Amino acid sequence: LLEAVRAYWSGLDEAGKAIEGLRASRPSDPTVLSLASVMALVGDRRDEARKLAEDARAAAPGSVAAAFAASFVAQADFDLEKAAELAEEAARLAPDDPAALARVAELRMGQGDLEGARRLYDRAGEEILLRYYRMMVELCRAQGALPVWVFMPALSAHRPAGGCIRRSPAPHR
């Protein structure tokens, strides 16, 4: 188990180094800035993630990646309305992008629109959802939260719904 954990974190370190290398060679590329923003969230560096997402949006106001990254930052800041607005912007910019559809579906589900979420999950497809769920687990863990996935018949018998639950501090005795 310890070896698996080391390999996992090593993979994240390698990804972070690769993104930093891209930032050095393409400092204003909105996709690179967006990736760096998400990696900063995974590393629980929200201020840095917010700045990178803002820089990505300034570099390319119509970038799907920038809207997507900004949506995750807004969610990490507990601004779910803004997170949904930004995810919907990404979906408008790329209406057939499975990742954008899955992101909007997750946020709609959180807002109680189960039917809308189910339709979007159906459009997104299985493979992208599995990748998306893995990314969400990373973001939850980075925020000190527990990733929770449940099967909800109202959404689909085959697709789990998920989110993050904050860990409560241990009670004082």
Side-chain angles (χ1 to χ4, degrees), residues 3 14 26 35 46 51 68 71 74 83-84 89 98 107 116 118 122 150 157:
E3 210 44 51
E14 287 177 28
R26 299 177 0 208
L35 287 170
R46 275 191 254 169
K51 171 81 169 92
F68 206 60
S71 176
E89 176 185 329
L107 292 164
R118 185 177 57 81
D122 287 343
V150 294

Side-chain angles (χ1 to χ4, degrees), residues 137 140 145-150 160-165:
V137 166
C140 289
L146 297 172
V148 177
W149 304 102
V150 294
C164 301
I165 296 178

Side-chain angles (χ1 to χ4, degrees), residues 105-161:
E106 174 199 17
L107 292 164
R108 284 200 183 153
M109 182 185 57
Q111 295 170 325
D113 181 4
L114 297 182
E115 183 57 32
R118 185 177 57 81
R119 282 191 307 271
L120 289 165
Y121 278 134
D122 287 343
R123 282 181 54 203
E126 297 293 330
E127 183 182 328
I128 191 67
L129 289 176
L130 291 174
R131 285 186 288 177
Y132 181 73
Y133 292 143
R134 286 186 198 116
M135 182 173 60
M136 286 307 299
V137 166
E138 299 308 318
L139 290 172
C140 289
R141 287 181 181 159
Q143 295 170 30
L146 297 172
V148 177
W149 304 102
V150 294
F151 286 90
M152 297 180 65
L155 278 174
S156 169
H158 300 95
R159 291 191 178 97

Side-chain angles (χ1 to χ4, degrees), residues 30-31 34 53-68 86 89-95 97:
T31 301
S34 298
E54 289 168 0
D55 290 350
R57 290 187 50 81
S63 166
V64 174
F68 206 60
L86 290 161
E89 176 185 329
R92 279 191 305 276
L93 292 167
D97 183 320

Side-chain angles (χ1 to χ4, degrees), residues 6-94:
R6 284 186 184 133
Y8 167 80
W9 284 111
S10 173
L12 283 180
D13 288 343
E14 287 177 28
K17 288 175 186 172
I19 291 169
E20 286 307 311
L22 286 172
R23 283 184 64 198
S25 65
R26 299 177 0 208
S28 60
D29 182 310
T31 301
V32 173
L33 292 168
S34 298
L35 287 170
S37 174
V38 172
M39 285 301 293
L41 279 178
V42 169
D44 200 23
R45 299 184 314 273
R46 275 191 254 169
D47 291 337
E48 179 183 349
R50 188 177 308 101
K51 171 81 169 92
L52 288 164
E54 289 168 0
D55 290 350
R57 290 187 50 81
S63 166
V64 174
F68 206 60
S71 176
F72 281 113
V73 170
Q75 184 176 10
D77 287 339
F78 300 101
D79 188 344
L80 299 183
E81 289 298 318
K82 183 167 181 131
E85 176 186 308
L86 290 161
E88 287 170 2
E89 176 185 329
R92 279 191 305 276
L93 292 167

